[in-house]
Amino acid sequence: MAKYKPSNENQMVMLPISLQDQLVPGTLEHTINRLVDENIDLSVFDERYKNDLTGAAAIHPKILLKVILLAYAKGMISSRQIERACHENIIFIALSYGYAPDHSTIASFISSMQSEISSIFSDILVVCEELKLLGGTHFSLDGVKLSANVSKEWSGTIDELKHKRDKLQEKLQRVIAEHAQADKHPQVEIERQQKRERRFQLQVERLNEFLKDREPKLGSEGKEIQSNAVDNESAKMTTSHGVLQGYNAQALVDSKHQVILAAEAFASQDHENLKPMLDSAKKNLVSIGKTPDYFEGKELTADSNYHSLNSLKVCKDEKVDAYIPDIQFRQRDPRFADQERFKDKKKADAKSSPFSAADFSYDESKRVYRCPNGKELKCYARNQVNRHRTYDLYHARAEDCAACPLRSRCLSKSDASRRYLSIQVDTGQPNLIDLMKAKIDSEQGKKIYARRLAIVEPVFANICVHKHMDRFTLRSKRKVDVQWGLFALVHNIGKIHIFGALI
Ligand code: SF4
């Protein structure tokens, strides 16, 4: 007959555990522990604690920072998840010295880090520089649009939100009336009605509070854009997966080991963010001892979302060797001629397209253009600036076009009264858009721009996929910036961990 040792789970066992031994050299937690202890100036946190004379002792910021950095590196964003890890996971227990901070302590520490995050970011950049992880020759800029911790349901112009508030108010009145008649209903039904009533009441209160003395939010063109009653600093953004209410998280990356030099979240489109990102990177680099002209003569690549006259002017002023293509650069590239999505639609539709400017001839003596039907087009406006270029504008006489047999080929719309013609004017000034086109179409330009993909895209894959940062869990730009900055910090610490021989 088989004989087994007794299995008794009703017994107490005391296990000796050395917390220090849990942080094994060569692991990420060991790197984080050493960096926070030895390389980050934690005195920046002293200001926020005023408990030297009264009040209980606080958990040391180094503990909170270590725990948060490891949690973010493991894709744990929720403060409740982090709190649980500090109770259950021996590595987190070791990093927190067994203190197990609660979720509210963790959440308030993160959301109030705005003034300290840049100092910590610079401290980590110093380590990157000491370990020679910064190449300083080529930089790439990119961004990802991430949902904010709000719903699109709370977005709209001020009038739309007022309308929504009034609708909710009506609904609330209806629910209250129904509730008054529901006294004879079972208790469970009454409770359900009360819950609905409370929900509508809260929604109305939220909108009332938001709309009190609220001015319309204006976009970059001075027109009203949608506000959001929960996080009014977030914005509606279009992505390849649809529209979201959120922020555009940007990162400027050094090419050598993909170290992030600047990270910030904006509620604006990519092409508006090149200057603030360059400024932010310069500020971080100056804080580690570099000169303000650090980017002069260096290569900068960014995708066509950054292509705008303003972005190119910024690069010119900063003397940056920029490679930022326009959206049609693939269509001009013979290497992509066979690919359906990059086929030049204009060429394909050339037969059916209306007459172009090349079909009109200039009559020097009369200073008019002559159309394929021999009629004159007179100039009605000169030197009109349209985004990037200057044009002279001509039009034909409505009577000529009305009776013209070539109407259907000449006018883009069948009900158009006459033909208009825009002729680009040579202003003698170098056009930055055309110069960039020529630069990006050159063999050298293509070679340099091709590096962008391998430099910056893996950074976003690491943060958004590997570390599960697929939406912000905080509200307001200030807090979202901290969260994005912490992920950039964790990314850079990962680089130190992998490439840093000293740690
Ligand atoms: S539609 Fe007007 S501009 Fe065009 S070809 Fe006819 S007359 Fe000329």
Side-chain angles (χ1 to χ4, degrees):
M1 200 170 155
K3 197 162 111 190
Y4 300 111
K5 292 190 178 180
S7 317
N8 180 11
E9 56 192 26
N10 287 324
Q11 59 178 316
M12 303 293 282
V13 179
M14 302 226 1
L15 299 173
I17 295 175
S18 157
L19 293 182
Q20 200 182 18
D21 288 351
Q22 308 310 312
L23 307 174
V24 181
T27 59
L28 181 63
E29 49 269 20
H30 183 261
T31 306
I32 290 175
N33 191 42
R34 282 196 57 184
L35 283 171
V36 174
D37 281 342
E38 297 169 18
N39 299 89
I40 293 180
D41 176 14
L42 294 160
S43 65
V44 291
F45 289 101
D46 290 349
E47 266 300 293
R48 61 160 81 183
Y49 298 99
K50 310 262 185 238
N51 57 351
D52 50 340
L53 298 177
T54 54
I59 291 182
H60 200 289
K62 74 175 177 184
I63 292 178
L64 294 169
L65 193 58
K66 287 176 188 179
V67 162
I68 291 164
L69 289 176
L70 184 63
Y72 275 33
K74 304 259 177 216
M76 262 184 243
I77 307 177
S78 148
S79 49
R80 285 179 193 273
Q81 249 184 320
I82 302 173
E83 177 187 335
R84 206 174 315 126
C86 291
H87 283 285
E88 296 171 355
N89 185 316
I90 191 65
I91 305 294
F92 281 87
I93 294 171
L95 280 181
S96 62
Y97 303 89
Y99 279 117
D102 65 38
H103 65 271
S104 59
T105 308
I106 295 166
S108 71
F109 183 78
I110 294 173
S111 52
S112 59
M113 268 179 78
Q114 201 205 8
S115 49
E116 294 96 3
I117 187 86
S118 55
S119 155
I120 299 171
F121 193 83
S122 298
D123 291 339
I124 293 297
L125 266 190
V126 169
V127 181
C128 293
E129 171 68 353
E130 284 170 358
L131 295 173
K132 305 202 182 323
L133 301 186
L134 304 182
T137 54
H138 184 120
F139 309 92
S140 286
L141 175 63
D142 208 353
V144 61
K145 289 166 184 159
L146 298 173
S147 292
N149 190 10
V150 291
S151 163
K152 277 186 286 188
E153 185 196 342
W154 297 105
S155 294
T157 61
I158 296 298
D159 283 345
E160 284 167 352
L161 289 173
K162 280 182 183 163
H163 182 68
K164 186 180 173 70
R165 189 255 327 263
D166 296 344
K167 284 270 173 205
L168 280 169
Q169 189 89 49
E170 278 171 26
K171 239 184 196 173
L172 177 62
Q173 294 309 325
R174 257 203 326 271
V175 171
I176 290 172
E178 280 172 25
H179 187 188
Q181 293 176 353
D183 281 351
K184 291 180 198 136
H185 290 176
Q187 184 60 26
V188 57
E189 178 65 14
I190 293 173
E191 280 173 15
R192 198 180 64 82
Q193 292 271 19
Q194 281 172 339
K195 265 190 191 166
R196 274 183 80 201
E197 191 181 314
R198 184 74 196 128
R199 196 173 73 238
F200 286 131
Q201 204 157 12
L202 285 174
Q203 290 177 343
V204 171
E205 281 169 15
R206 171 184 280 174
L207 281 171
N208 271 336
E209 181 62 28
F210 178 75
L211 291 167
K212 204 162 62 184
D213 306 325
R214 178 73 54 181
E215 292 293 326
K217 193 170 156 187
L218 301 181
S220 55
E221 291 173 6
K223 290 184 189 158
E224 182 177 2
I225 55 170
Q226 294 194 349
S227 302
N228 186 281
V230 181
D231 180 357
N232 200 25
E233 289 176 288
S234 66
K236 263 200 173 162
M237 297 181 176
T238 307
T239 71
S240 51
H241 304 294
V243 178
L244 58 79
Q245 181 76 35
Y247 289 90
N248 188 353
Q250 302 277 309
L252 184 68
V253 178
D254 180 278
S255 67
K256 188 175 178 188
H257 286 298
Q258 297 159 313
V259 170
I260 298 176
L261 300 179
E264 201 173 331
F266 300 87
S268 49
Q269 297 301 319
D270 285 340
H271 65 86
E272 296 172 55
N273 300 331
L274 190 136
K275 181 164 173 50
M277 284 305 291
L278 268 182
D279 289 346
S280 175
K282 271 199 283 185
K283 196 172 143 216
N284 291 337
L285 288 161
V286 167
S287 75
I288 68 165
K290 302 287 182 192
T291 55
D293 58 1
Y294 187 75
F295 289 105
E296 271 191 34
K298 313 275 176 71
E299 290 166 3
L300 173 77
T301 48
D303 66 25
S304 48
N305 290 332
Y306 292 86
H307 183 90
S308 75
L309 191 56
N310 274 347
S311 297
L312 300 185
K313 273 184 187 156
V314 169
C315 293
K316 186 174 175 248
D317 294 345
E318 300 279 348
K319 300 192 176 96
V320 178
D321 184 16
Y323 295 82
I324 308 173
D326 55 292
I327 52 169
Q328 284 173 337
F329 80 111
R330 293 283 189 225
Q331 290 169 10
R332 297 191 303 271
D333 190 338
R335 295 174 301 172
F336 293 85
D338 295 339
Q339 292 192 18
E340 203 51 46
R341 61 188 277 230
F342 296 124
K343 274 192 178 156
D344 192 339
K345 301 275 185 311
K346 277 186 189 161
K347 271 188 193 164
D349 297 345
K351 276 189 191 157
S352 59
S353 68
F355 295 134
S356 70
D359 297 309
F360 293 73
S361 57
Y362 189 58
D363 185 335
E364 192 79 54
S365 58
K366 290 189 163 180
R367 299 184 73 197
V368 295
Y369 272 85
R370 219 165 271 288
C371 72
N373 194 29
K375 303 294 181 194
E376 289 179 1
L377 280 80
K378 288 189 177 154
C379 183
Y380 68 94
R382 291 201 182 275
N383 297 323
Q384 299 299 300
V385 179
N386 176 9
R387 292 189 67 206
H388 316 313
R389 299 185 178 85
T390 307
Y391 294 93
D392 284 346
L393 307 179
Y394 292 78
H395 60 197
R397 291 185 339 139
E399 308 87 275
D400 291 338
C401 296
C404 176
L406 301 175
R407 241 187 99 80
S408 59
R409 283 196 60 196
C410 188
L411 304 181
S412 53
K413 286 185 186 164
S414 58
D415 58 347
S417 62
R418 62 171 87 186
R419 170 70 198 238
Y420 291 85
L421 187 65
S422 305
I423 303 293
Q424 193 181 339
V425 178
D426 182 5
T427 55
Q429 298 291 321
N431 183 313
L432 292 177
I433 299 284
D434 291 337
L435 288 176
M436 181 54 73
K437 265 189 188 176
K439 188 174 177 183
I440 213 83
D441 288 348
S442 68
E443 283 311 307
Q444 174 79 346
K446 284 177 195 164
K447 214 164 123 190
I448 292 172
Y449 180 70
R451 296 186 62 197
R452 187 202 73 87
L453 198 71
I455 295 168
V456 76
E457 297 291 354
V459 172
F460 284 88
N462 180 34
I463 294 177
C464 299
V465 181
H466 184 236
K467 300 193 191 319
H468 307 297
M469 176 48 183
D470 50 8
R471 62 175 300 131
F472 289 109
T473 57
L474 301 174
R475 288 173 183 161
S476 80
K477 174 169 164 46
R478 184 173 59 86
K479 294 181 186 175
V480 160
D481 258 344
V482 171
Q483 203 164 36
W484 184 241
L486 279 169
F487 272 100
L489 203 58
V490 163
H491 171 86
N492 287 353
I493 289 174
K495 294 294 171 186
I496 293 171
H497 173 61
I498 294 167
F499 297 106
L502 299 179
I503 304 287

